[in-house]
Amino acid sequence: MADEKVQTKLLDELEKGPWPSFVTEIKKARKVSPVCDDLLGQLELSYEEKVGHWKHGGIVGVMGYGGGVIGRYSDVPDKFPNVAHFHTMRVNQPSGWFYTSNALRTLCDIWDRHGSGLTNMHGSTGDIVFLGTKTDELEPCFKELTEAGFDLGGSGSCMRTPSACVGKARCEWACYDTMKMCNDITHEYQDELHRPPFPYKFKFKFSGCPNDCVASIARADLSVIGTWKDDIQQNDAEVAAYAAKGLDIQEDVCGRCPTRCMKWDGKKLTINNRECVRCMHCINAMPKALAPGKERGATLLIGAKAPIVQGALLSSVLVPFVPADELMDTIKELISRVWDFWDEYGKNRERVGELIQRVGMGNFLDAIGLDPVPEMITAPRDNPYIYFKDEA
Amino acid sequence: MAVTTEQLAEEMYQMVKETMGKKNLKAGDLTKAMIAKYGEGELTKDDCKHAIRILMDSGRCVYSYFGGSFITLPHKEGSAPE
Ligand code: HEM
Ligand code: HEM
Ligand code: SF4
Ligand code: SF4
């Protein structure tokens, strides 16, 4: 494979159309990285044969850590020697994914020296993903990363790298400081992040409002989603300005409110805030006129996961409202009880959401010492899945 | 604490050694076994955490990934090319 370019007939299809293409990007990197031809060649082979040619490595990592490196080996190393080892390193991203250009250059230079130079910014875990290196390069790369102030992220049965939306850095809707919370939790649980103590993975994701830009409700074992307790802030002059500019407030705002709790008489918008479920629709539709209330905090939800061992789950409400300034303490206290319960009863590779389904929400709440509340429902107007003892 | 952290690490090491090849142990399995042996009042999860850290930082044990994370003796990577 040394000089000639590999034929990538099937992969070339992925360069067509108006979208960014990883094939195009890897081809561009050929000039600087010797692994690209073998990488494309092996993938083309997989497309032809309809089988994967990566093997999972079990023990590669850096000294003392049980996570952050995902071992990969080619099962056709004779054909593609440059990707015989192709380990991934997960690097813990800064909260909200903010970098100085200098930090980005530092990261890229480290990876040019120790790996393929190919990165994925960012993986769905949130981490900076360094794609492809050899076992011998792991320790030197880790050393340079830590000297530059970076650390590895999580993999395996540990607390995974927490992630957060940009929150207060850019977004006026943030009901708590998501970036700070993400950073604080990352530091608080360094041990759980680097030394896998759990039956399986555990993810925290922090969204500043119910728009849930990091999709925590679908992806995090503990989802922290900003919300407010008082009334939506309303600016009538701006409401009128939206109407004047042609927004159909009746149809597009009131008509799409899930609880139909808004009224528009052609001049004045009235919101029955008691019935509002904080879905963000009206605020998204009229950002200059409406805003989350002033009494801000977050809802804690538990148990989401993507399908791996079992099917996908969305997280469900654990604590309906925690004021922003009590959030850190509440999470710490609650999570220690949740982790204790999961440690005790979780089966190997059982996510906490699956454990709750297996033992029942009622038993779970009992064990962690929380009282059931009406907000713990799968959907409005649905049956609560809490069974009170007296009725049993 | 009825035992020193080093003793605890040594006992965990023996457990890993004895079960190697028969059963894979997680951090939680070692912790539970030690607490069962010495009694809940005598030993905390944190004590066990420190003992595991000693095993890892000294290189006597390593974390291995087989779907989930386990604690094993250092061994040759099965899937690595020769
Ligand atoms: C003369 C006989 C009955 C009368 C006058 C009667 C009257 C009522 C009334 C006024 C309601 C409340 C409706 C509402 O406001 O939502 C109701 C609800 C209900 N009734 Fe009856 N009912 C009678 C017999 C029955 C029988 C025989 C059953 C069952 C075998 C039954 C089952 C229910 C149920 C399940 C509800 C709904 C409760 C809820 O939505 O929370 N009723 N009934
Ligand atoms: C095995 C037998 C039954 C089962 C499993 C069953 C189940 C249910 C369920 C799941 C609901 C919905 C509750 C909700 O979401 O609000 C419901 C509602 C209701 N059921 Fe039944 N039911 C049974 C028998 C009966 C019988 C025999 C009657 C009447 C004679 C009856 C009358 C009603 C009424 C009136 C409602 C209320 C509907 C409402 O609130 O809108 N059910 N039942
Ligand atoms: S989740 Fe809400 S607060 Fe966070 S960036 Fe998105 S809209 Fe803004
Ligand atoms: S936030 Fe959603 S539920 Fe609340 S008033 Fe607006 S549209 Fe209705």
Side-chain angles (χ1 to χ4, degrees):
Chain A
M1 287 291 143
D3 293 314
E4 87 224 23
K5 281 187 177 172
V6 284
Q7 295 299 308
T8 52
K9 239 177 101 229
L10 295 172
L11 287 179
D12 292 349
E13 292 294 313
L14 297 178
E15 295 194 88
K16 295 177 184 166
W19 309 279
S21 163
F22 73 92
V23 177
T24 306
E25 297 305 315
I26 295 176
K27 282 184 180 175
K28 275 195 224 161
R30 271 173 168 159
K31 285 186 227 82
V32 289
S33 175
V35 306
C36 296
D37 278 302
D38 281 4
L39 183 61
L40 290 170
Q42 175 166 323
L43 191 59
E44 179 77 11
L45 183 67
S46 284
Y47 276 42
E48 282 163 9
E49 299 176 349
K50 297 192 166 69
V51 285
H53 284 291
W54 296 116
K55 291 188 291 182
H56 212 304
I59 56 169
V60 290
V62 298
M63 185 79 163
Y65 279 19
V69 178
I70 295 123
R72 285 275 182 253
Y73 299 96
S74 170
D75 72 0
V76 279
D78 297 341
K79 276 199 184 115
F80 306 108
N82 285 320
V83 296
H85 293 215
F86 204 72
H87 310 319
T88 295
M89 293 182 88
R90 285 194 180 139
V91 182
N92 198 323
Q93 83 284 7
S95 277
W97 300 286
F98 285 93
Y99 301 88
T100 60
S101 52
N102 192 35
L104 285 174
R105 282 198 193 89
T106 304
L107 285 168
C108 292
D109 288 348
I110 293 174
W111 196 232
D112 277 341
R113 281 193 288 278
H114 296 292
S116 71
L118 301 174
T119 64
N120 174 7
M121 304 282 274
H122 296 85
S124 54
T125 55
D127 300 90
I128 303 157
V129 179
F130 280 3
L131 288 163
T133 193
K134 299 179 172 60
T135 305
D136 290 347
E137 294 289 353
L138 293 171
E139 290 289 355
C141 185
F142 179 56
K143 184 163 179 285
E144 283 204 40
L145 281 170
T146 48
E147 280 165 7
F150 286 91
D151 194 3
L152 293 186
S155 66
S157 306
C158 66
M159 178 185 85
R160 296 302 183 82
T161 317
S163 75
C165 75
V166 294
K168 292 195 167 173
R170 288 182 62 94
C171 185
E172 64 199 85
W173 292 333
C175 294
Y176 68 97
D177 191 341
T178 52
M179 287 174 52
K180 181 175 190 316
M181 191 61 64
C182 183
N183 185 68
D184 289 353
I185 289 284
T186 305
H187 284 281
E188 177 73 25
Y189 296 115
Q190 278 292 294
D191 209 60
E192 285 76 6
L193 177 56
H194 296 308
R195 286 170 269 278
F198 301 134
Y200 205 24
K201 63 185 93 165
F202 193 95
K203 301 181 182 180
F204 283 94
K205 293 191 193 294
F206 302 94
S207 282
C209 81
N211 281 335
D212 196 8
C213 289
V214 288
S216 68
I217 200 166
R219 308 193 300 157
D221 298 272
L222 195 86
S223 324
V224 183
I225 302 180
T227 190
W228 62 96
K229 207 169 182 177
D230 53 348
D231 295 351
I232 290 175
Q233 300 184 61
Q234 187 175 338
N235 179 329
D236 286 327
E238 291 291 353
V239 174
Y242 275 106
K245 269 186 284 177
L247 178 68
D248 187 340
I249 293 182
Q250 182 53 45
E251 169 94 15
D252 292 335
V253 182
C254 302
R256 294 184 206 285
C257 168
T259 60
R260 300 285 190 270
C261 69
M262 313 181 86
K263 274 211 179 68
W264 171 244
D265 65 5
K267 285 199 193 74
K268 166 94 181 129
L269 180 74
T270 321
I271 304 174
N272 178 4
N273 277 277
R274 273 183 64 84
E275 294 295 323
C276 165
V277 292
R278 277 75 176 156
C279 78
M280 290 296 289
H281 167 69
C282 59
I283 297 171
N284 291 336
M286 301 194 287
K288 288 184 184 167
L290 303 176
K294 290 181 174 152
E295 197 186 341
R296 296 180 176 195
T299 302
L300 306 183
L301 303 94
I302 192 152
K305 60 176 283 288
I308 299 186
V309 184
Q310 296 179 34
L313 293 172
L314 293 180
S315 53
S316 44
V317 172
L318 198 57
V319 186
F321 184 81
V322 184
D325 56 355
E326 293 170 21
L327 208 45
M328 186 65 185
D329 288 341
T330 307
I331 291 177
K332 272 163 60 179
E333 208 198 301
L334 205 61
I335 209 66
S336 73
R337 287 186 259 156
V338 170
W339 282 348
D340 272 349
F341 183 74
W342 185 38
D343 271 349
E344 191 61 34
Y345 299 104
K347 294 197 258 188
N348 187 30
R349 300 194 80 197
E350 184 175 49
R351 295 282 285 272
V352 73
E354 292 161 353
L355 171 64
I356 293 170
Q357 285 214 320
R358 181 161 63 82
V359 302
M361 187 57 129
N363 290 327
F364 172 72
L365 292 176
D366 219 27
I368 65 166
L370 273 189
D371 287 333
V373 291
E375 285 87 347
M376 295 168 174
I377 52 171
T378 48
R381 291 288 297 158
D382 201 345
N383 286 332
Y385 44 70
I386 311 296
Y387 300 96
F388 293 91
K389 279 215 176 73
D390 301 348
E391 291 178 358
Chain B
M1 197 169 135
V3 283
T4 65
T5 314
E6 279 72 23
Q7 268 174 290
L8 208 53
E10 178 58 31
E11 289 201 35
M12 287 179 172
Y13 176 78
Q14 291 304 333
M15 246 185 101
V16 172
K17 203 170 144 188
E18 277 158 28
T19 51
M20 184 87 177
K22 289 170 235 157
K23 185 178 187 298
N24 292 316
L25 299 173
K26 296 191 297 284
D29 300 327
L30 292 173
T31 304
K32 274 184 200 168
M34 291 303 133
I35 291 180
K37 178 164 177 190
Y38 289 101
E40 219 153 307
E42 298 296 320
L43 211 56
T44 67
K45 283 188 177 178
D46 267 349
D47 298 331
C48 296
K49 211 152 97 175
H50 293 136
I52 291 172
R53 189 153 178 186
I54 290 179
L55 290 178
M56 291 301 158
D57 289 349
S58 65
R60 295 181 78 196
C61 288
V62 294
Y63 288 108
S64 299
Y65 183 86
F66 315 105
S69 303
F70 296 90
I71 293 177
T72 66
L73 303 185
H75 56 277
K76 205 190 148 303
E77 179 88 289
S79 45
E82 292 306 319

